[in-house]
């Protein structure tokens, strides 16, 4: 069963996101490989990121922490007033201590087969890339790639957090795809609303080799079907935060048959 959304499905941004991220990276590699050979290869790049501030993702991407509510204990009356004063009132709320979480991030690297040099990096953003301290770390990585002459394709399909590129001319939209060609001083941007279909985007290579096309919509629809995400999503509920505009919310209700 396909997703009811014409582009990015916002319901994939919650607890399913780690699976979506990994599956999307693998599907992009599969689609690109026959277009790149024999001069280039597409490889999965796997690295670990420590999420030092997971609080904002509790109940969205990470499971809910257990909240233990305890009723104030009834203190037994005692004739010993000194003992009564020594007995503290039990805390009404007990929570587990939140600790950092190791996140496995998978992206796609395109390398030339002659020297195994990194040519193009396809980054699929995760929430940890869009809030501190991960935001600064990722921005530094973007800068290093550009300085090293590596092209960057950035897929931002997560609405939470701060977009790494805060250019004032980028409209306020839920999703953005960006292609940064090394040493050109320019970037191509696809601002995407909730109702917009995903684009097929160019993948720059080393000159004089022509660009190839990355079929992003095919990749997303394929993994949605292969992973049977429709069996895990309850479209009668609201999508993960943040809230959409009133107009988009009404459009969603009509699309999903809620009104």
């Amino acid at each position: 069963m396909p997703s009811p959304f014409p582009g990015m499905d916002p319901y994939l941004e919650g607890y399913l996101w780690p699976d979506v991220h990994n599956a999307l990276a693998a599907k992009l590699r599969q689609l690109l490989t026959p277009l790149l050979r024999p001069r280039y290869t597409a490889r999965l790049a796997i690295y670990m990121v420590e999420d030092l501030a997971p609080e904002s993702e509790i109940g969205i991407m990470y499971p809910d922490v257990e909240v233990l509510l305890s009723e104030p204990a009834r203190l037994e009356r005692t004739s010993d007033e000194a003992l009564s004063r020594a007995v503290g009132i039990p805390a009404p709320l007990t929570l587990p201590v939140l600790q950092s979480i190791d996140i496995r991030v998978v992206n796609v690297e395109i390398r030339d087969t002659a020297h195994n040099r990194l040519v193009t990096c396809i980054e699929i953003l995760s929430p940890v890339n869009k809030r501190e301290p991960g935001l600064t770390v990722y921005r530094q990585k973007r800068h290093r790639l550009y300085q090293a002459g590596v092209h960057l394709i950035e897929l931002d399909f997560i609405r939470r957090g701060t977009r790494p590129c805060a250019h004032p001319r980028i409209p306020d939209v839920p999703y953005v795809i960006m292609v940064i060609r090394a040493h050109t001083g320019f970037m191509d941007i696809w601002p995407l609303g909730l109702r917009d279909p995903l684009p097929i985007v160019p993948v720059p290579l080393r000159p004089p080799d022509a660009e190839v096309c990355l079929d992003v919509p095919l990749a997303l629809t394929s993994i949605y079907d292969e992973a049977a995400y429709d069996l895990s999503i309850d479209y009668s509920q609201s999508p993960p935060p943040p809230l959409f505009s009133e107009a988009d919310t009404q459009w969603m209700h009509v699309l999903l048959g809620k009104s």
Side-chain angles (χ1 to χ4, degrees):
M1 177 179 176
S3 167
F5 289 86
M8 175 59 188
D9 187 328
Y11 287 82
L12 299 177
E13 298 178 57
Y15 76 96
L16 289 172
W17 181 252
D19 189 84
V20 174
H21 188 143
N22 293 341
L24 183 57
K27 181 59 66 174
L28 295 179
R29 178 185 64 171
Q30 180 186 4
L31 294 176
L32 284 172
T33 295
L35 304 177
L36 295 171
R37 60 182 307 139
R39 290 175 55 81
Y40 301 90
T41 60
R43 295 285 181 258
L44 296 182
I46 303 171
Y47 57 95
M48 300 299 296
V49 177
E50 188 177 13
D51 192 348
L52 298 174
E55 294 86 353
S56 61
E57 291 297 322
I58 298 298
I60 303 176
M61 192 173 74
Y62 305 143
D64 280 320
V65 295
E66 184 179 8
V67 179
L68 303 176
L69 294 174
S70 58
E71 295 182 1
R74 296 181 179 179
L75 299 179
E76 295 182 0
R77 293 181 179 178
T78 175
S79 58
D80 189 341
E81 294 182 2
L83 179 60
S84 296
R85 289 194 297 270
V87 177
I89 299 176
L93 182 64
T94 301
L95 297 173
V97 176
L98 294 179
Q99 302 186 35
S100 62
I101 299 174
D102 290 332
I103 306 298
R104 181 176 178 267
V105 177
V106 183
N107 292 316
V108 182
E109 293 182 348
I110 297 174
R111 295 179 176 270
D112 67 62
T113 53
H115 305 286
N116 196 39
R117 290 176 299 191
L118 181 59
V119 175
T120 305
C121 185
I122 303 175
E123 291 278 350
I124 305 168
L125 297 189
S126 279
V128 70
N129 301 131
K130 300 184 66 178
R131 53 183 161 76
E132 297 296 356
L135 176 61
T136 295
V137 173
Y138 178 71
R139 282 173 169 166
Q140 292 170 345
K141 178 181 181 180
R142 294 170 91 243
H143 181 71
R144 289 195 305 270
L145 290 173
Y146 187 79
Q147 293 299 315
V150 177
H151 309 297
L152 173 64
I153 299 174
E154 190 175 273
L155 307 179
D156 187 356
F157 293 156
I158 292 288
R159 291 174 294 123
R160 301 186 294 282
T162 300
R163 193 158 286 142
C165 180
H167 196 287
R169 293 185 60 186
I170 299 178
D172 184 16
V173 291
Y175 311 110
V176 168
I177 294 178
M178 186 177 302
V179 176
I180 304 175
R181 294 174 175 83
H183 301 321
T184 64
F186 295 95
M187 51 189 174
D188 293 331
I189 299 172
W190 287 260
L192 300 168
L194 181 63
R195 315 177 200 193
D196 296 328
L198 298 176
I200 296 174
V201 300
V203 178
L205 301 171
R206 289 194 182 277
D209 295 324
E211 298 177 339
V212 298
C213 292
L214 178 59
D215 197 332
V216 180
L218 176 59
L220 195 63
T221 55
S222 296
I223 66 168
Y224 187 97
D225 181 61
E226 292 167 6
Y229 289 133
D230 62 296
L231 300 180
S232 299
I233 295 175
D234 183 358
Y235 286 109
S236 67
Q237 302 297 316
S238 298
L243 295 174
F244 282 100
S245 67
E246 183 176 348
D248 279 344
T249 299
Q250 291 299 322
W251 177 84
M252 254 193 307
H253 286 172
V254 174
L255 178 73
L256 301 175
K258 295 183 181 180
S259 61

